[in-house]
Amino acid sequence: MMSSWTEKMGFPLVEVKSCTFGASSAKLTLEQSWFLASGEVPAEEKVWNIPLFIRTCGSEGKEPTMMTAKTMDIEVPIGSVADTAFVLINDGVRTPMRVAYTAEMR
């Protein structure tokens, strides 16, 4: 796992491509890419093994979920109150990465 961090320059951007809130869970599609502060599109593709600490109104997210591929589909519990439902990726900012949420999640 560490080689994906120590042998690569920079850090990942995890983008929420879609998020669908259900009665008691949220389904997310995530995609990772190489984050460049300049905003330019990277010339090469990199994939990190990323520990995702996810917090929702239905869970604390103490154990990380590993993202080991370019894309990932995940379902997380959100509790029973849909009006206050939220999903926070990288809770506690434990992983050196950026997160881009959909407009509906902001």
Side-chain angles (χ1 to χ4, degrees), residues 65-106:
T65 300
M66 293 302 295
M67 182 174 189
T68 58
K70 179 149 178 74
T71 61
M72 175 182 183
D73 292 318
I74 186 171
E75 187 169 355
V76 294
I78 58 168
S80 59
V81 184
D83 292 346
T84 60
F86 69 89
V87 176
L88 176 63
I89 299 172
N90 202 16
D91 180 39
V93 193
R94 300 180 209 178
T95 306
M97 63 183 234
R98 298 278 182 150
V99 180
Y101 294 96
T102 63
E104 298 81 29
M105 294 178 74
R106 292 187 206 136

Side-chain angles (χ1 to χ4, degrees):
M1 178 177 114
M2 289 307 296
S3 65
S4 77
W5 290 91
T6 59
E7 297 174 3
K8 293 183 180 140
M9 183 179 75
F11 52 94
L13 165 69
V14 174
E15 185 176 356
V16 180
K17 298 304 258 181
S18 68
C19 179
T20 306
F21 288 97
S24 62
S25 66
K27 294 180 182 180
L28 295 96
T29 299
L30 307 175
E31 181 177 288
Q32 65 167 288
S33 60
W34 184 12
F35 174 79
L36 295 175
S38 65
E40 50 188 304
V41 177
E44 62 183 277
E45 185 175 298
K46 296 182 180 192
V47 176
W48 283 263
N49 293 322
I50 307 171
L52 300 174
F53 292 88
I54 301 173
R55 184 166 58 109
T56 69
C57 51
S59 74
E60 285 295 316
K62 294 178 181 173
E63 293 298 317
T65 300
M66 293 302 295
M67 182 174 189
T68 58
K70 179 149 178 74
T71 61
M72 175 182 183
D73 292 318
I74 186 171
E75 187 169 355
V76 294
I78 58 168
S80 59
V81 184
D83 292 346
T84 60
F86 69 89
V87 176
L88 176 63
I89 299 172
N90 202 16
D91 180 39
V93 193
R94 300 180 209 178
T95 306
M97 63 183 234
R98 298 278 182 150
V99 180
Y101 294 96
T102 63
E104 298 81 29
M105 294 178 74
R106 292 187 206 136

